[in-house]
Amino acid sequence: VQMVESGGDLVQPGGSLRLSCAGSGFDFRTYWMHWVRQGPGTGLVWVARSNSDESYVDYADSVKGRFTISRDNAKSTVYLQMNSLRVEDTAVYYCARAPYAVTIDHWGQGALVTVSS
Amino acid sequence: QSALTQPASLSGSPGQSITISCTGNLGDIGTYDYVSWYQCYPGKAPKLIIFEVTKRPSGVSDRFSGSKSGNTASLTISGLQAEDEAEYLCCSFAGVALLFGGGTKLTVL
């Protein structure tokens, strides 16, 4: 089982960025997928989740209306589109898979997003 | 929603049992039986060791056990071994969000 995030970068406040997470070694389409982030010196914070066909997605209040989770099961990839980025969105973003909706069993290694002018 | 509260550090001697607490509130641990525990080593992805309060994934030692009482979940490690020295992280469903604890650094003396 492997999940590899990409797309992390330095972006200015108000900017946009899209993270990708490619899964391998498991049947991607049968899993819920989550994004979780960890800001500098802070703990883990859940960001978003999607079920297998995107019919059920949820977001943390702090990102609702700005971030969008999506997935391409044919490519075994989940995405996080981040718009209207704020300094406080600076964090390492982890994708994670969940065999049951709210139980994460494997994590990626993370992608660093820095929002700064 | 506030993060879950864990002790920052604990220590124990080989062979001993230790218990790590994870305190939430009625809106998370107090209501839902979706508490997970992870074992974390520096530079490596967290490993799931307990899910749904008491269940162990296949391959996880039965020295690890979980429980819950009220708004507090607990992870017990029995027969401490040197390789148990790691950070332990709790997580609970909270209706929509997942909440995480700050992590407990376990030192095996």
Side-chain angles (χ1 to χ4, degrees), chain A residues 44 46 49 102-105 107, chain B residues 38 46 51 89 93 96-98:
Chain A
L44 291 170
W46 174 79
R49 68 169 163 263
V102 294
T103 296
I104 290 172
D105 73 341
W107 302 70
Chain B
Y38 301 88
F51 68 101
L89 183 69
F93 180 57
V96 173
L98 293 180

Side-chain angles (χ1 to χ4, degrees), chain A residues 8-117:
Chain A
D9 206 345
L10 169 64
V11 60
Q12 292 190 335
S16 297
L17 202 61
R18 188 178 83 157
L19 300 181
S20 302
C21 169
S24 61
F26 63 100
D27 191 355
F28 183 88
R29 60 189 171 178
T30 66
Y31 286 82
W32 288 68
M33 295 299 295
H34 294 245
W35 287 96
V36 178
R37 69 185 182 185
Q38 184 167 26
T42 65
L44 291 170
V45 176
W46 174 79
V47 173
R49 68 169 163 263
S50 169
N51 69 343
S52 57
D53 64 2
E54 298 179 71
S55 59
Y56 189 90
V57 296
D58 264 318
Y59 299 93
D61 288 343
S62 59
V63 307
K64 201 173 293 184
R66 299 188 299 124
F67 289 13
T68 302
I69 186 172
S70 63
R71 58 193 294 165
D72 184 340
N73 289 334
K75 295 182 178 179
S76 298
T77 299
V78 62
Y79 305 97
L80 186 67
Q81 177 67 43
M82 303 182 291
N83 299 329
S84 303
L85 281 162
R86 305 167 180 168
V87 171
E88 54 266 34
D89 295 320
T90 295
V92 176
Y93 285 74
Y94 300 93
C95 70
R97 78 168 199 182
Y100 320 109
V102 294
T103 296
I104 290 172
D105 73 341
H106 277 90
W107 302 70
Q109 289 296 328
L112 177 61
V113 173
T114 302
V115 185
S116 174
S117 54

Side-chain angles (χ1 to χ4, degrees), chain B residues 11-79:
Chain B
S11 62
S13 300
Q16 281 187 328
S17 293
I18 64 94
T19 297
I20 300 172
S21 62
C22 173
T23 302
N25 59 46
L26 186 60
D28 40 74
I29 293 175
T31 295
Y32 302 101
D33 288 334
Y34 293 110
V35 178
S36 302
W37 288 92
Y38 301 88
Q39 182 185 56
C40 308
Y41 293 105
K44 300 189 74 175
K47 175 187 176 183
L48 179 67
I49 55 174
I50 295 289
F51 68 101
E52 293 178 10
V53 181
T54 62
K55 299 177 181 178
R56 273 189 311 274
S58 173
V60 172
S61 171
D62 60 4
R63 297 187 299 105
F64 295 93
S65 62
S67 62
K68 186 183 89 166
S69 177
N71 297 337
T72 298
S74 299
L75 172 71
T76 298
I77 308 173
S78 59

